[in-house]
Amino acid sequence: ADFLHPDRGDRTSRVLFLDNKRPEPELTGLIKRYFLSVQYFEGSALNHNDLRRVQLEHSDAVILLCNKDSDDTKSEDAATILRAISVKNYCSKARLIMQLLNYKSKSFLQTIPNWDPINYRDENICISEFMYGLVAQSCLCPGFFIFMINLISTRS
């Protein structure tokens, strides 16, 4: 909901979700609240017909998220990397922003066809690496973690 918050400025962005199951009630509520700019599609990023249906080639960016509650983080990262490969095979110029759970999984990013952080601005966000970095900075500068959380969260 923070992405679509009025304080964020640009409200012309359209957001779509592609998942292989029906949306959770919380997501349904979010979609109803921002019905003009949010769409939900059932399908898979591994299926090129579904990627064509959501017109991925016209998107500004593709964000691939992991299940942070997964018991098997290696398999979760592997599934995310497979979805990234499918997206890049379908549309090589798509900007890809992906979430990984383990920092060791970053070594597999070079296997993704057309993965290019410079020209296509592809990015990865590793949750464990991010959290360890915040903890380390908090050791050097007490209060840093709370400061960062306050910067990235929105309250009305």
Side-chain angles (χ1 to χ4, degrees):
D2 273 354
F3 180 78
L4 297 169
H5 196 275
D7 292 346
R8 294 286 184 220
D10 179 22
R11 296 285 309 241
T12 60
S13 297
R14 289 181 49 233
V15 176
L16 71 85
F17 293 90
L18 177 66
D19 198 358
N20 54 6
K21 57 185 181 287
R22 291 202 171 273
E24 298 288 327
E26 296 86 18
L27 186 58
T28 303
L30 180 73
I31 291 171
K32 287 179 181 176
R33 185 172 178 190
Y34 298 104
F35 66 93
L36 293 176
S37 58
V38 178
Q39 292 178 293
Y40 189 95
F41 293 91
E42 286 188 60
S44 171
L46 299 174
N47 184 335
H48 283 204
N49 290 330
D50 289 336
L51 297 178
R52 187 176 305 110
R53 183 168 50 101
V54 299
Q55 299 177 349
L56 179 123
E57 63 275 6
H58 299 295
S59 67
D60 292 328
V62 176
I63 302 173
L64 298 175
L65 300 175
C66 292
N67 177 4
K68 295 185 292 186
D69 300 325
S70 175
D71 293 330
D72 187 1
T73 57
K74 288 182 182 178
S75 294
E76 188 65 31
D77 281 353
T80 303
I81 291 171
L82 281 176
R83 292 194 310 267
I85 290 170
S86 176
V87 166
K88 283 293 197 174
N89 280 338
Y90 177 75
C91 182
S92 63
K93 295 180 180 178
R95 179 179 185 205
L96 193 58
I97 302 168
M98 60 188 294
Q99 176 188 51
L100 296 173
L101 300 174
N102 294 312
Y103 70 92
K104 291 180 180 179
S105 300
K106 289 174 65 174
S107 63
F108 298 110
L109 296 178
Q110 299 309 315
T111 63
I112 298 173
N114 299 306
W115 175 263
D116 189 351
I118 296 169
N119 293 322
Y120 299 134
R121 301 177 323 192
D122 294 332
E123 297 283 341
N124 75 65
I125 301 162
C126 180
I127 298 298
S128 62
E129 191 176 53
F130 181 72
M131 292 306 291
Y132 291 146
L134 283 177
V135 169
Q137 288 298 324
S138 290
C139 292
L140 296 172
C141 177
F144 181 78
F145 183 80
I146 300 300
F147 174 70
M148 291 303 296
I149 294 302
N150 286 333
L151 279 178
I152 61 176
S153 62
T154 303
R155 290 176 183 75
S156 293

